[in-house]
Amino acid sequence: MSNSLVIVNTGCANISSVKFAFERLGINVDVSDDVKVIAKAQRVLLPGVGSAPAAMSSINKKALASCLRGLTQPTLGVCLGMQLMVTDSQEGEFGKTDLTSSLNLIPGHVKRMQVGNLRLPHMGWNRVTSKLANPLFVGIPDGEHFYFVHSYAIDNYAHTLATCHYSSAKKQSDIGVVPIHANAELVDAGPMSAKPISAKPISAEQLKADIGTTFSAAIHKDNFFGVQFHPERSSDAGAQLLKNFIQL
Amino acid sequence: MLAKRIIPCLDVKDGVVVKGVKFRNHEIIGDIVPLAKRYAQAGADELVFYDITASSDQRVVEKSWVTKIAQVIDIPFCVAGGIKSVKDAGKILEMGADKISINSPALSNPKLIKDLHDTFGQQCVVIGIDSFFNEETGQYEVYQFTGDETRTQKTAWQTIDWVKEVQSLGAGEIVLNCMNRDGVRTGYDIAQLAAVRAVCKVPLIASGGAGEMQHFADVYNQADVDGALAASVFHKAIIDIPELKAWLSIQGIEMRS
């Protein structure tokens, strides 16, 4: 059990793909909902597919919450698993506006992504940029693509480890302006900046719609790490991140 | 910026990858797992496995190959064909598929879309639509059971209406198969895809017609699709995926390198 890893069986997640990803790295994985097994593991992975209320209700039904809150070993939340790590989520039961209370391992709030005319879910490969040097992203250059599938996100905030920017795939020159953005280096994407700025007038609404949003691709506090993307489906970069996690 | 996706589609029949022209005359291309692995290594952004016999044969197709694929590839993949119930979908997702795609069963039972959405979440639910451009009427018509020539039939749905309907029921992504262009390699149906794009607020994947690299640039630039699916140009090595992605990047289209 020198390098043991337990995937928490939350009861509603597709666990196979993340299990297989560790197996490709030669790591043996246990899948368990037994609090004794989870508490003793050297590392814990909180997977996530499904909705926040369904996942929290399953976690509560299995009486896993206090065990998860008491973990001191490196723990990685993936996608919904990451979203369950913060305080609460706007993702409620269908037709209800109540917040879903989550595990509160890291302060923070999950909100519906505000993307104007952009498509949701935010589905596909997008670039991730680390905010500071950290062990989870060792060997992964800034701007590497990871695979995302989600409609809710955590803002870029104090516990953000890495960010992702979701904007229109159309060239910014098409909308007639060079956008001003908090993360200017993310927006300045090569060829588009060389295009002449057209004099076409643009509405504030369209501008907002096309600039998009910057959100947390990864978060961290103490022993808890969360990633919004799916490292198990993110090719070589994802494999590197999982390798980094098992070396924490 | 979200990268545009290149998606090889592997049509599966009796456990091997096949390809026909206009949904007919299938020829064997090769075994599933080595092909999947090869495409993942070549830089494909996603794979679709489409069991073309399943819906029309009215049988539950043996899908142990799903687990084998999930074990060896590290990019997302979607399984289509023969999924008629929440239970069927659950099995495929448990085996390690990231998404399931339904087509004919959604037309027979639209409520299935909502049930899949409520059980597994919107992100898992892909709706495949086989759309035929009727030159006489000038309309886009939805077809069902296209995997079997003898059972293929026109439905009462016009494509634009069905695209709206599936979104209201909880579809997370739409793959539009433009039947007139399937396997003929004369370019994607830009006019139809642009019309669908205008009413499609979830990711839209173009399917049918890819023949050369320019076709991919055209469909991203002119129809603003999120991904482009192709089969024969990849299976027959007419287009090399790394070369395609490098070329599209030079055209200013965001690609995962």
Side-chain angles (χ1 to χ4, degrees):
Chain A
M1 297 296 275
S2 62
N3 201 14
S4 70
L5 173 77
V6 169
I7 298 176
V8 180
N9 187 355
T10 50
C12 53
N14 168 10
I15 286 163
S16 302
S17 58
V18 72
K19 183 169 177 278
F20 293 150
F22 282 108
E23 287 172 355
R24 284 196 292 274
L25 298 173
I27 308 296
N28 285 324
V29 180
D30 287 323
V31 176
S32 180
D33 57 5
D34 181 336
V35 291
K36 282 183 225 137
V37 174
I38 296 166
K40 263 201 276 180
Q42 203 166 13
R43 286 174 191 78
V44 175
L45 189 132
L46 191 60
V49 169
S51 71
M56 279 314 298
S57 131
S58 174
I59 284 170
N60 290 330
K61 212 175 279 172
K62 293 182 174 213
L64 296 174
S66 67
C67 165
L68 295 172
R69 288 189 186 111
L71 296 177
T72 55
Q73 58 273 62
T75 299
L76 179 66
V78 171
C79 196
L80 178 65
M82 158 185 166
Q83 298 189 356
L84 299 178
M85 287 178 142
V86 298
T87 312
D88 53 35
S89 173
Q90 282 184 353
E91 186 181 18
E93 282 176 42
F94 190 76
K96 293 185 183 168
T97 54
D98 299 349
L99 292 176
T100 298
S101 288
S102 307
L103 293 166
N104 201 23
L105 310 174
I106 303 175
H109 309 280
V110 176
K111 297 172 189 164
R112 176 89 182 168
M113 293 174 84
Q114 298 298 319
V115 296
N117 294 330
L118 295 175
R119 267 84 78 176
L120 285 182
H122 172 236
M123 187 188 291
W125 297 80
N126 207 336
R127 295 178 186 274
V128 169
T129 303
S130 293
K131 272 173 85 178
L132 48 145
N134 68 81
L136 200 59
F137 284 87
V138 167
I140 300 170
D142 277 349
E144 195 66 67
H145 283 94
F146 286 86
Y147 184 74
F148 290 84
V149 186
H150 60 119
S151 299
Y152 291 79
I154 299 165
D155 287 345
N156 177 11
Y157 77 133
H159 294 288
T160 301
L161 200 57
T163 58
C164 177
H165 183 70
Y166 181 24
S167 63
S168 169
K170 282 183 185 169
K171 297 181 182 72
Q172 297 292 348
S173 54
D174 293 346
I175 60 167
V177 293
V178 175
I180 300 160
H181 195 275
N183 286 314
E185 76 279 6
L186 292 177
V187 175
D188 181 16
M192 67 180 66
S193 56
K195 294 277 171 69
I197 297 169
S198 88
K200 191 171 69 177
I202 176 162
S203 70
E205 196 179 78
Q206 190 189 355
L207 184 61
K208 192 179 169 217
D210 287 356
I211 285 177
T213 181
T214 298
F215 62 90
S216 290
I219 57 172
H220 169 233
K221 183 177 181 273
D222 307 326
N223 57 313
F224 295 111
F225 293 84
V227 291
Q228 180 61 68
F229 49 81
H230 286 272
E232 75 278 16
R233 284 284 175 259
S234 291
S235 195
D236 295 345
Q240 181 63 47
L241 186 130
L242 294 179
K243 242 184 254 176
N244 291 342
F245 174 64
I246 58 176
Q247 283 166 12
L248 286 175
Chain B
M1 194 189 299
L2 196 58
K4 297 293 193 184
R5 288 177 264 159
I6 302 283
I7 309 172
C9 176
L10 293 85
D11 286 354
V12 177
K13 193 170 188 177
D14 302 323
V16 293
V17 177
V18 298
K19 183 61 195 168
V21 174
K22 290 198 177 180
F23 288 62
R24 309 276 182 264
N25 306 321
H26 302 112
E27 60 181 277
I28 293 172
I29 301 291
D31 290 334
I32 305 173
V33 173
L35 265 172
K37 205 169 178 177
R38 203 179 82 203
Y39 285 128
Q41 284 166 351
D45 297 305
E46 190 170 321
L47 297 173
V48 172
F49 299 90
Y50 184 18
D51 202 323
I52 53 174
T53 54
S55 282
S56 44
D57 281 4
Q58 296 188 320
R59 64 186 163 105
V60 178
V61 174
E62 200 275 312
K63 288 206 169 66
S64 60
W65 48 268
V66 175
T67 302
K68 288 181 198 145
I69 291 160
Q71 283 168 333
V72 300
I73 73 164
D74 56 5
I75 58 171
F77 72 98
C78 177
V79 173
I83 298 161
K84 297 187 191 69
S85 66
V86 168
K87 198 179 155 201
D88 292 343
K91 276 187 201 156
I92 303 293
L93 293 169
E94 272 169 35
M95 286 179 182
D98 299 279
K99 314 179 205 179
I100 46 97
S101 178
I102 58 168
N103 185 328
S104 300
L107 288 156
S108 304
N109 172 23
K111 188 178 168 288
L112 179 58
I113 301 170
K114 188 183 177 300
D115 292 343
L116 291 169
H117 168 279
D118 291 351
T119 311
F120 305 112
Q122 186 190 16
Q123 77 289 338
C124 296
V125 185
V126 180
I127 302 300
I129 300 175
D130 291 323
S131 178
F132 184 80
F133 176 61
N134 185 331
E135 284 179 26
E136 283 173 25
T137 61
Q139 284 175 335
Y140 299 118
E141 298 162 345
V142 177
Y143 275 68
Q144 194 174 12
F145 306 122
T146 54
D148 178 352
E149 193 172 351
T150 61
R151 296 187 63 227
T152 299
Q153 64 185 44
K154 190 172 98 174
T155 68
W157 285 100
Q158 290 203 21
T159 304
I160 299 294
D161 296 330
W162 181 234
V163 165
K164 290 180 185 167
E165 178 72 7
V166 301
Q167 288 178 88
S168 74
L169 291 167
E173 181 164 88
I174 291 171
V175 177
L176 190 74
N177 309 310
C178 302
M179 292 170 68
N180 313 60
R181 305 293 179 101
D182 184 67
V184 298
R185 303 207 284 267
T186 55
Y188 290 96
D189 188 340
I190 303 289
Q192 178 169 189
L193 286 157
V196 167
R197 171 84 282 170
V199 298
C200 183
K201 305 297 177 199
V202 297
L204 175 65
I205 309 300
S207 168
E212 51 192 82
M213 297 204 292
Q214 185 66 46
H215 296 156
F216 288 84
D218 291 345
V219 79
Y220 294 130
N221 285 329
Q222 295 170 30
D224 192 23
V225 296
D226 299 278
L229 186 145
S232 58
V233 289
F234 298 140
H235 300 326
K236 295 183 176 175
I238 294 164
I239 294 178
D240 175 64
I241 294 175
E243 196 185 326
L244 172 64
K245 293 181 82 172
W247 182 79
L248 289 169
S249 288
I250 294 167
Q251 310 306 306
I253 295 165
E254 178 79 357
M255 285 280 131
R256 174 177 71 106
S257 50

